[in-house]
Amino acid sequence: MATYANLYIDQGADFKSNVLIEDTNTDPLDLNDLTIYGQIRRTYLSDTAYDFTITKVDVSGGEIQIELDAATTESMNRGRYVYDIFADDVGNGTTFKILQGIAEVVPRVTRQA
């Protein structure tokens, strides 16, 4: 079962969030054999998707960073989206969901002249 977490993303700004992934015993998940990827969409049926850039920060400690750049968040309309993060285990051939939730894109107010 995936962990559920809501995200708040400022429109027009870089978004980064570090996440600690744990196994069912709440021990950090070893990320060595995992390919990790995820997307954000307006609804789960939406054709338009924004891919997270995902970096393994601490492979043995189970820490990843999920990221969207400012150009991407600028192109997103304000409001609620859904997202999830998956992992493929190349060692045993399984795929599983790590994280899921609602992402709120908070509208931008300040603009440069």
Side-chain angles (χ1 to χ4, degrees):
M1 181 100 184
T3 299
Y4 191 89
N6 292 334
L7 304 176
Y8 294 91
I9 300 168
D10 291 323
Q11 187 182 43
D14 292 320
F15 169 79
K16 292 181 183 182
S17 182
N18 285 27
V19 179
L20 179 62
I21 304 166
E22 298 174 334
D23 63 18
T24 55
N25 297 320
T26 66
D27 295 321
L29 187 66
D30 185 344
L31 306 176
N32 274 308
D33 290 335
L34 300 182
T35 301
I36 303 170
Y37 53 95
Q39 292 183 328
I40 181 171
R41 297 174 188 258
R42 192 62 132 158
T43 74
Y44 74 96
L45 292 173
S46 298
D47 290 330
T48 301
Y50 303 93
D51 293 325
F52 286 110
T53 298
I54 300 177
T55 306
K56 295 177 185 178
V57 176
D58 183 352
V59 175
S60 60
E63 185 178 1
I64 63 170
Q65 182 176 78
I66 60 175
E67 183 177 355
L68 295 168
D69 63 25
T72 300
T73 66
E74 181 68 36
S75 70
M76 299 171 76
N77 292 323
R78 69 177 180 85
R80 288 186 171 191
Y81 290 73
V82 293
Y83 79 95
D84 55 24
I85 308 290
F86 272 81
D88 291 338
D89 188 329
V90 296
N92 65 20
T94 61
T95 298
F96 55 97
K97 191 185 294 188
I98 295 172
L99 189 63
Q100 66 182 353
I102 303 294
E104 181 80 23
V105 176
V106 180
R108 181 177 185 158
V109 175
T110 302
R111 292 173 183 80
Q112 285 185 309

